[in-house]
Amino acid sequence: MDIKICGLSTIETTDAVIAGGASHVGFIFFEKSPRHVAVETAAELGGRAQAKGLKSVAVTVNADDAYLDNIVHIMKPDLLQLHGSESPERVTKVKQRYGLPVMKAFSISTQDDLAKITPYIGVADRLLFDAKAPKNSELPGGNGVSFDWTLLKGLDPSVDYMLSGGLNAGNVGDAIAHSSPSGLDVSSGVESEPGVKSTILIASFFEAIANAKKRESND
Ligand SMILES: O=C(O)c1ccccc1NCC(=O)[C@H](O)[C@H](O)COP(=O)(O)O
């Protein structure tokens, strides 16, 4: 199962994520976020992870071509995560312009939200299911809130998705038990405060996933 740790900004925590066995590292390009980084920082930290075989992900929200051009040119990401209200046509254009895979994020709180993925199937390379942002939040992601994972039980089993939203060491086992994601994505759950990743919480998150997998294989 892929594991993406999102919102990195330091060498120490990037190294902890690499050591933990993540498949992806994510960098936030959204100025209102406490995790927003300069493109040069993402290039340095992402390059460090890429050298160890991880994929580096640029996370943007309704970004225009000029902004994406700069990110792709300097950071050289492996994957573009579109975390806004990008249409299927925009996803196609971004894929064509950069020749990079695109992961489209969706905010889920009801079954109707899941129906919105249909036009993106076969268009986006990967889907990411995140919780809907609380009303008072300025962030479309990284809010540390979960959605009802049982909603995913009705999903066509051929839909490949990463699960995110409020995951942490305490609930990731339950999340896996209630859904069948091909990947997990976490940000707030491995932070000591918004925007500050904790090497201890990162290690605990990986340990919790390993324990959940052990339990699954014993059942
Ligand atoms: O994390 C942010 O600050 C952020 C800001 C704007 C758009 C997306 C953002 N995060 C995207 C992610 O992939 C997060 O990992 C995902 O939303 C889960 O976050 P959390 O619930 O905090 O684990």
mmCIF file of all heavy atoms in Angstrom, residues 29 60-72 80 82 86 90 94 97-98:
data_model
loop_
_atom_site.group_PDB
_atom_site.id
_atom_site.type_symbol
_atom_site.label_atom_id
_atom_site.label_comp_id
_atom_site.label_asym_id
_atom_site.label_seq_id
_atom_site.Cartn_x
_atom_site.Cartn_y
_atom_site.Cartn_z
ATOM 1 N N PHE A 29 1.556 23.956 -2.073
ATOM 2 C CA PHE A 29 1.693 25.273 -2.687
ATOM 3 C C PHE A 29 0.341 25.976 -2.569
ATOM 4 O O PHE A 29 -0.494 25.930 -3.469
ATOM 5 C CB PHE A 29 2.116 25.136 -4.156
ATOM 6 C CG PHE A 29 3.459 24.489 -4.310
ATOM 7 C CD1 PHE A 29 3.567 23.149 -4.644
ATOM 8 C CD2 PHE A 29 4.625 25.212 -4.079
ATOM 9 C CE1 PHE A 29 4.805 22.542 -4.763
ATOM 10 C CE2 PHE A 29 5.872 24.610 -4.196
ATOM 11 C CZ PHE A 29 5.962 23.271 -4.538
ATOM 12 N N THR A 60 -1.453 21.503 -5.423
ATOM 13 C CA THR A 60 -1.893 22.859 -5.759
ATOM 14 C C THR A 60 -3.422 22.937 -5.725
ATOM 15 O O THR A 60 -4.100 21.901 -5.742
ATOM 16 C CB THR A 60 -1.405 23.274 -7.164
ATOM 17 O OG1 THR A 60 -1.915 22.339 -8.122
ATOM 18 C CG2 THR A 60 0.107 23.308 -7.247
ATOM 19 N N VAL A 61 -3.923 24.171 -5.685
ATOM 20 C CA VAL A 61 -5.374 24.404 -5.607
ATOM 21 C C VAL A 61 -5.764 25.383 -6.721
ATOM 22 O O VAL A 61 -5.410 26.559 -6.666
ATOM 23 C CB VAL A 61 -5.739 25.007 -4.225
ATOM 24 C CG1 VAL A 61 -7.242 25.235 -4.113
ATOM 25 C CG2 VAL A 61 -5.251 24.107 -3.085
ATOM 26 N N ASN A 62 -6.431 24.881 -7.734
ATOM 27 C CA ASN A 62 -6.871 25.713 -8.869
ATOM 28 C C ASN A 62 -5.734 26.578 -9.427
ATOM 29 O O ASN A 62 -5.924 27.770 -9.726
ATOM 30 C CB ASN A 62 -8.056 26.604 -8.456
ATOM 31 C CG ASN A 62 -9.246 25.782 -7.996
ATOM 32 O OD1 ASN A 62 -9.492 24.695 -8.514
ATOM 33 N ND2 ASN A 62 -9.973 26.265 -7.008
ATOM 34 N N ALA A 63 -4.551 25.979 -9.542
ATOM 35 C CA ALA A 63 -3.381 26.736 -10.014
ATOM 36 C C ALA A 63 -3.471 26.994 -11.518
ATOM 37 O O ALA A 63 -3.952 26.145 -12.270
ATOM 38 C CB ALA A 63 -2.113 25.944 -9.704
ATOM 39 N N ASP A 64 -2.969 28.169 -11.933
ATOM 40 C CA ASP A 64 -2.945 28.448 -13.376
ATOM 41 C C ASP A 64 -1.652 27.894 -13.989
ATOM 42 O O ASP A 64 -0.761 27.419 -13.281
ATOM 43 C CB ASP A 64 -3.128 29.949 -13.652
ATOM 44 C CG ASP A 64 -2.016 30.806 -13.052
ATOM 45 O OD1 ASP A 64 -0.945 30.255 -12.687
ATOM 46 O OD2 ASP A 64 -2.206 32.030 -12.943
ATOM 47 N N ASP A 65 -1.565 27.988 -15.325
ATOM 48 C CA ASP A 65 -0.408 27.400 -16.012
ATOM 49 C C ASP A 65 0.910 28.032 -15.565
ATOM 50 O O ASP A 65 1.911 27.330 -15.411
ATOM 51 C CB ASP A 65 -0.555 27.570 -17.536
ATOM 52 C CG ASP A 65 -1.578 26.598 -18.111
ATOM 53 O OD1 ASP A 65 -2.041 25.693 -17.381
ATOM 54 O OD2 ASP A 65 -1.920 26.753 -19.299
ATOM 55 N N ALA A 66 0.904 29.354 -15.374
ATOM 56 C CA ALA A 66 2.160 30.030 -15.024
ATOM 57 C C ALA A 66 2.696 29.502 -13.690
ATOM 58 O O ALA A 66 3.908 29.249 -13.545
ATOM 59 C CB ALA A 66 1.937 31.539 -14.943
ATOM 60 N N TYR A 67 1.795 29.317 -12.741
ATOM 61 C CA TYR A 67 2.212 28.815 -11.420
ATOM 62 C C TYR A 67 2.718 27.372 -11.539
ATOM 63 O O TYR A 67 3.779 27.021 -11.017
ATOM 64 C CB TYR A 67 1.019 28.904 -10.457
ATOM 65 C CG TYR A 67 1.381 28.785 -8.983
ATOM 66 C CD1 TYR A 67 2.522 29.375 -8.475
ATOM 67 C CD2 TYR A 67 0.550 28.099 -8.104
ATOM 68 C CE1 TYR A 67 2.840 29.272 -7.123
ATOM 69 C CE2 TYR A 67 0.856 27.991 -6.753
ATOM 70 C CZ TYR A 67 2.003 28.572 -6.275
ATOM 71 O OH TYR A 67 2.314 28.459 -4.944
ATOM 72 N N LEU A 68 1.961 26.560 -12.278
ATOM 73 C CA LEU A 68 2.369 25.158 -12.445
ATOM 74 C C LEU A 68 3.675 25.055 -13.237
ATOM 75 O O LEU A 68 4.537 24.214 -12.933
ATOM 76 C CB LEU A 68 1.262 24.352 -13.142
ATOM 77 C CG LEU A 68 0.046 24.010 -12.278
ATOM 78 C CD1 LEU A 68 -1.021 23.318 -13.123
ATOM 79 C CD2 LEU A 68 0.418 23.121 -11.101
ATOM 80 N N ASP A 69 3.834 25.917 -14.250
ATOM 81 C CA ASP A 69 5.073 25.895 -15.048
ATOM 82 C C ASP A 69 6.279 26.051 -14.133
ATOM 83 O O ASP A 69 7.265 25.321 -14.247
ATOM 84 C CB ASP A 69 5.105 27.065 -16.051
ATOM 85 C CG ASP A 69 4.193 26.850 -17.258
ATOM 86 O OD1 ASP A 69 3.613 25.748 -17.395
ATOM 87 O OD2 ASP A 69 4.066 27.799 -18.059
ATOM 88 N N ASN A 70 6.194 27.013 -13.222
ATOM 89 C CA ASN A 70 7.312 27.293 -12.314
ATOM 90 C C ASN A 70 7.583 26.114 -11.388
ATOM 91 O O ASN A 70 8.733 25.704 -11.189
ATOM 92 C CB ASN A 70 6.979 28.565 -11.511
ATOM 93 C CG ASN A 70 8.159 29.067 -10.728
ATOM 94 O OD1 ASN A 70 9.262 29.179 -11.261
ATOM 95 N ND2 ASN A 70 7.946 29.352 -9.459
ATOM 96 N N ILE A 71 6.517 25.536 -10.850
ATOM 97 C CA ILE A 71 6.673 24.383 -9.940
ATOM 98 C C ILE A 71 7.307 23.214 -10.692
ATOM 99 O O ILE A 71 8.289 22.609 -10.227
ATOM 100 C CB ILE A 71 5.297 23.972 -9.354
ATOM 101 C CG1 ILE A 71 4.791 25.035 -8.391
ATOM 102 C CG2 ILE A 71 5.378 22.604 -8.658
ATOM 103 C CD1 ILE A 71 3.337 24.843 -7.958
ATOM 104 N N VAL A 72 6.766 22.902 -11.847
ATOM 105 C CA VAL A 72 7.259 21.727 -12.591
ATOM 106 C C VAL A 72 8.705 21.947 -13.009
ATOM 107 O O VAL A 72 9.548 21.041 -12.889
ATOM 108 C CB VAL A 72 6.342 21.437 -13.811
ATOM 109 C CG1 VAL A 72 6.952 20.374 -14.709
ATOM 110 C CG2 VAL A 72 4.966 20.993 -13.322
ATOM 111 N N LEU A 80 1.338 15.405 -9.919
ATOM 112 C CA LEU A 80 0.670 16.671 -9.586
ATOM 113 C C LEU A 80 -0.649 16.347 -8.907
ATOM 114 O O LEU A 80 -1.465 15.610 -9.461
ATOM 115 C CB LEU A 80 0.419 17.483 -10.863
ATOM 116 C CG LEU A 80 1.680 17.886 -11.638
ATOM 117 C CD1 LEU A 80 1.317 18.485 -12.994
ATOM 118 C CD2 LEU A 80 2.495 18.883 -10.825
ATOM 119 N N LEU A 82 -4.097 17.810 -7.700
ATOM 120 C CA LEU A 82 -4.977 18.974 -7.886
ATOM 121 C C LEU A 82 -6.049 18.922 -6.807
ATOM 122 O O LEU A 82 -6.896 18.024 -6.800
ATOM 123 C CB LEU A 82 -5.579 18.953 -9.297
ATOM 124 C CG LEU A 82 -4.562 18.907 -10.454
ATOM 125 C CD1 LEU A 82 -5.269 19.021 -11.806
ATOM 126 C CD2 LEU A 82 -3.488 19.987 -10.330
ATOM 127 N N GLU A 86 -10.859 21.735 -9.880
ATOM 128 C CA GLU A 86 -10.442 21.543 -11.274
ATOM 129 C C GLU A 86 -11.412 20.593 -11.999
ATOM 130 O O GLU A 86 -11.752 19.531 -11.470
ATOM 131 C CB GLU A 86 -9.016 20.976 -11.327
ATOM 132 C CG GLU A 86 -7.932 21.872 -10.724
ATOM 133 C CD GLU A 86 -7.759 21.694 -9.206
ATOM 134 O OE1 GLU A 86 -8.514 20.904 -8.590
ATOM 135 O OE2 GLU A 86 -6.863 22.359 -8.643
ATOM 136 N N ARG A 90 -9.745 20.385 -17.256
ATOM 137 C CA ARG A 90 -8.503 20.974 -16.727
ATOM 138 C C ARG A 90 -7.498 19.871 -16.377
ATOM 139 O O ARG A 90 -6.303 20.009 -16.621
ATOM 140 C CB ARG A 90 -8.834 21.830 -15.482
ATOM 141 C CG ARG A 90 -7.621 22.460 -14.820
ATOM 142 C CD ARG A 90 -6.929 23.469 -15.718
ATOM 143 N NE ARG A 90 -5.746 24.044 -15.084
ATOM 144 C CZ ARG A 90 -4.676 24.472 -15.755
ATOM 145 N NH1 ARG A 90 -4.628 24.406 -17.082
ATOM 146 N NH2 ARG A 90 -3.644 24.986 -15.119
ATOM 147 N N VAL A 94 -3.759 19.655 -17.925
ATOM 148 C CA VAL A 94 -2.554 19.625 -17.072
ATOM 149 C C VAL A 94 -1.708 18.394 -17.410
ATOM 150 O O VAL A 94 -0.486 18.468 -17.541
ATOM 151 C CB VAL A 94 -2.952 19.655 -15.569
ATOM 152 C CG1 VAL A 94 -1.780 19.355 -14.666
ATOM 153 C CG2 VAL A 94 -3.569 21.016 -15.216
ATOM 154 N N ARG A 97 -0.007 19.055 -20.770
ATOM 155 C CA ARG A 97 1.004 20.126 -20.755
ATOM 156 C C ARG A 97 2.326 19.660 -20.145
ATOM 157 O O ARG A 97 3.389 20.046 -20.586
ATOM 158 C CB ARG A 97 0.448 21.333 -19.988
ATOM 159 C CG ARG A 97 1.341 22.562 -20.023
ATOM 160 C CD ARG A 97 0.626 23.746 -19.401
ATOM 161 N NE ARG A 97 1.468 24.931 -19.361
ATOM 162 C CZ ARG A 97 1.528 25.834 -20.331
ATOM 163 N NH1 ARG A 97 0.786 25.700 -21.403
ATOM 164 N NH2 ARG A 97 2.328 26.894 -20.221
ATOM 165 N N TYR A 98 2.212 18.824 -19.091
ATOM 166 C CA TYR A 98 3.438 18.473 -18.364
ATOM 167 C C TYR A 98 3.878 17.025 -18.574
ATOM 168 O O TYR A 98 4.970 16.652 -18.150
ATOM 169 C CB TYR A 98 3.264 18.766 -16.865
ATOM 170 C CG TYR A 98 2.907 20.213 -16.644
ATOM 171 C CD1 TYR A 98 1.622 20.597 -16.278
ATOM 172 C CD2 TYR A 98 3.850 21.209 -16.872
ATOM 173 C CE1 TYR A 98 1.282 21.924 -16.135
ATOM 174 C CE2 TYR A 98 3.516 22.551 -16.730
ATOM 175 C CZ TYR A 98 2.232 22.898 -16.361
ATOM 176 O OH TYR A 98 1.901 24.220 -16.235
#
